[in-house]
Structure formats: C-alpha cells, structure tokens
Amino acid sequence: MPNILVIHGPNLNRLGKREPDVYGSGTLAELNERLNHVGMELGVHVETFQSNHEGKLIDCIHDAEETVDALVINPGALTHYSYALRDALASVNLPAIEVHISNIHRRESFRHHSVTAPVTRGQIVGLGFYGYELAIRALLEILQEKL
C-alpha cells in the first residue's frame, strides 16, 4: 500500500477561521479526515503534518524520504519566498505535488510566483479541498509509472 504524506504549511491550522471567503469554512481536521477517507477508497495510506515553522517543515520533508512514497504540500506563504523549503523538496527523491486551496494567480501579485513549484511534479490551485484529492490521485498514477 503506497504511503503519501500531506504537508500543511503556516496558518493552515487556521482553516475555517481565517478568511473563509478565500479558504472556505472547512477546518484542517475536516480536511485531514476527508483525505483519510480518500486514501481508504484508493488503497493509500495518507499521513498528515502541519507546522507554522519552516524548519519543522524542512525536517519533515527530509524524514519523509525514509517513510513515504510521495508528498502533497501546501507551503502556504512559504511558497513565495522559501528557498530553504524549495531546496528540501529538491533534496529528496520523492515525487511531490504543490496544492493551494485558493487560486494564487488570481490574488495579490506577490502570490503569483512559487519558488517551490519548479521542484514538484505539478501544481494544483483554486479547487479548494478537492485539489488535495486530485493531487493524491495524480501521485498514484506517478507511482504506478515507476513500477
């Protein structure tokens, strides 16, 4: 059974409270529960991790190389400036997909550029929580290609 780690970056613990007009009313706990159900349906073990601290996210990515097959990551605001997070993603031999709940390309101009996307297999934006499910499905296809 494939193992996929979903990494939630800064402020995603505030889902449901933070700007519900942008991010919706669903909470991080609800999202994680949904991802676990999707995993069960698809025959995938889904782990989740959230931190507001860049170094913890980097450590999580490094440690993941030994325990999971692929990554889904929503780096939050770190998307736009964290070269350290970008380098962590590039340093592990794991396929990763970047996900954003909102469409970062329709928001403030500073959100339009991702420093992390170039080291991922793809980017899914603007589809709410469903984007995470699509990322898991895409990673399953990518993992099948490796077999």
Side-chain angles (χ1 to χ4, degrees):
M1 173 183 289
N3 291 313
I4 295 178
L5 174 61
V6 179
I7 300 173
H8 305 288
N11 297 310
L12 289 163
N13 59 308
R14 303 288 298 163
L15 286 173
K17 297 176 183 173
R18 176 185 176 218
E19 301 178 84
D21 55 316
V22 174
Y23 301 104
S25 60
T27 66
L28 183 60
E30 291 167 343
L31 172 57
N32 287 339
E33 184 178 327
R34 179 175 173 171
L35 296 175
N36 283 324
H37 286 295
V38 167
M40 284 189 280
E41 289 173 14
L42 298 175
V44 179
H45 176 69
V46 176
E47 298 176 40
T48 60
F49 177 80
Q50 189 279 326
S51 180
N52 294 318
H53 305 281
E54 184 178 33
K56 287 184 179 182
L57 295 168
I58 291 167
D59 289 343
C60 179
I61 292 166
H62 291 167
D63 294 344
E65 189 171 38
E66 302 300 320
T67 60
V68 303
D69 301 300
L71 301 172
V72 174
I73 185 166
N74 182 339
L78 295 172
T79 301
H80 315 294
Y81 65 88
S82 178
Y83 294 103
L85 191 61
R86 179 243 176 257
D87 289 350
L89 288 165
S91 77
V92 296
N93 188 25
L94 294 171
I97 294 182
E98 182 178 306
V99 173
H100 296 281
I101 295 167
S102 68
N103 184 344
I104 61 174
H105 305 289
R106 294 186 66 181
R107 298 188 61 200
E108 304 92 339
S109 62
F110 74 88
R111 296 186 195 273
H112 296 180
H113 180 70
S114 169
V115 299
T116 50
V119 295
T120 65
R121 292 292 295 264
Q123 183 188 66
I124 300 171
V125 303
L127 300 178
F129 287 3
Y130 184 57
Y132 289 86
E133 179 180 339
L134 292 174
I136 290 169
R137 290 179 181 279
L139 286 168
L140 279 175
E141 290 292 323
I142 291 165
L143 292 171
Q144 286 298 321
E145 291 171 7
K146 286 183 158 184
L147 297 179

